[in-house]
Amino acid sequence: MPTRPSLSRRFLLQCGAAVPACLLAGRSSSASMVLAMELPEIAAAADAIVVAEVIASHSHFEEDHQAIRTEVQLQVQESWKGQFLGKNRTLKVIQPGGVVGDMEMKVHGLPSFLAHEKAVLFLTARDKAHAEFGFVLTGLGQGKRRLFADARGEWMAAPPDRSAAVLKNRSGAFGPAVPEPTVRLSDLRQQVKLLLEAQAR
């Protein structure tokens, strides 16, 4: 695992992130590397899959003041997988990185969240018995597909961030993952539904 870097004023930190079950290596404090996950794999691995809107985001220092953590509050509009929603239909994503005052910490391979942004999210529970402890993105940036309306007003899902995702070739070497295309939200919804039905059999 990469060592935890320290913060300095007006300094943008590029740091690695350790993600359980999919972290391959943290070569230095400037790199994260995870296995590329295609849709069937990430749908199976995620504890929850939702369409959600960002309603609040807050970054703060960890207790030792050596790193920044961001907590993102989400209003869930559609739940495709998982039984984690309470009556308010909200979830919380917690991830390293963020901005506090004039200090910023950025984790390679993890996307940021903007106010009122909508996205399809593949999430891993930090504690499956306690949804209030929050979630992390499954497969780093692969777990977020930002939503936007096209010229005709149809909702589209942008490609996930696969900058930290790698594929293993036949010789055992790792190479960059192939970028994914933009797809219609309706198509993605149907694909995930069929995959989950097949996996449940």
Side-chain angles (χ1 to χ4, degrees):
M1 291 174 59
T3 57
R4 175 173 287 183
S6 61
L7 291 171
S8 60
R9 191 170 299 278
R10 302 301 300 173
F11 186 69
L12 175 63
L13 288 170
Q14 301 281 349
C15 61
V19 178
C22 61
L23 179 71
L24 293 178
R27 294 184 178 180
S28 70
S29 62
S30 62
S32 305
M33 191 166 66
V34 294
L35 282 173
M37 304 174 78
E38 304 305 327
L39 188 59
E41 297 169 299
I42 198 168
D47 295 315
I49 306 173
V50 299
V51 177
E53 179 178 356
V54 177
I55 55 177
S57 179
H58 174 68
S59 298
H60 56 86
F61 283 107
E62 298 281 6
E63 291 183 2
D64 59 8
H65 257 238
Q66 297 300 305
I68 293 173
R69 180 172 71 175
T70 295
E71 297 187 8
V72 183
Q73 297 290 337
L74 302 162
Q75 184 72 46
V76 176
Q77 299 175 342
E78 300 179 27
S79 178
W80 298 354
K81 181 182 181 181
Q83 303 295 323
F84 296 98
L85 296 180
K87 62 180 181 180
N88 294 326
R89 294 184 65 82
T90 58
L91 292 177
K92 177 172 63 177
V93 168
I94 300 175
Q95 61 183 28
V99 179
V100 177
D102 58 0
M103 302 204 186
E104 179 176 8
M105 175 177 157
K106 185 174 178 61
V107 177
H108 175 63
L110 273 178
S112 59
F113 288 85
L114 303 176
H116 306 299
E117 179 183 33
K118 297 180 180 180
V120 176
L121 301 172
F122 295 76
L123 303 173
T124 298
R126 300 175 79 217
D127 184 332
K128 292 179 176 57
H130 298 279
E132 66 273 17
F133 291 170
F135 296 79
V136 298
L137 292 175
T138 306
L140 293 181
Q142 298 175 99
K144 178 187 175 186
R145 289 163 168 78
R146 180 180 59 84
L147 296 178
F148 65 95
D150 67 8
R152 297 173 296 178
E154 184 171 12
W155 284 104
M156 308 293 292
D161 179 359
R162 304 186 94 190
S163 60
V166 294
L167 291 170
K168 190 173 184 180
N169 61 30
R170 294 180 179 178
S171 65
F174 291 104
V178 178
E180 293 188 9
T182 296
V183 297
R184 290 194 294 265
L185 174 59
S186 57
D187 290 342
L188 181 59
R189 183 190 294 113
Q190 182 65 15
Q191 288 176 331
V192 171
K193 177 183 177 181
L194 293 174
L195 286 169
L196 294 178
E197 288 176 351
Q199 292 164 5
R201 294 186 191 132

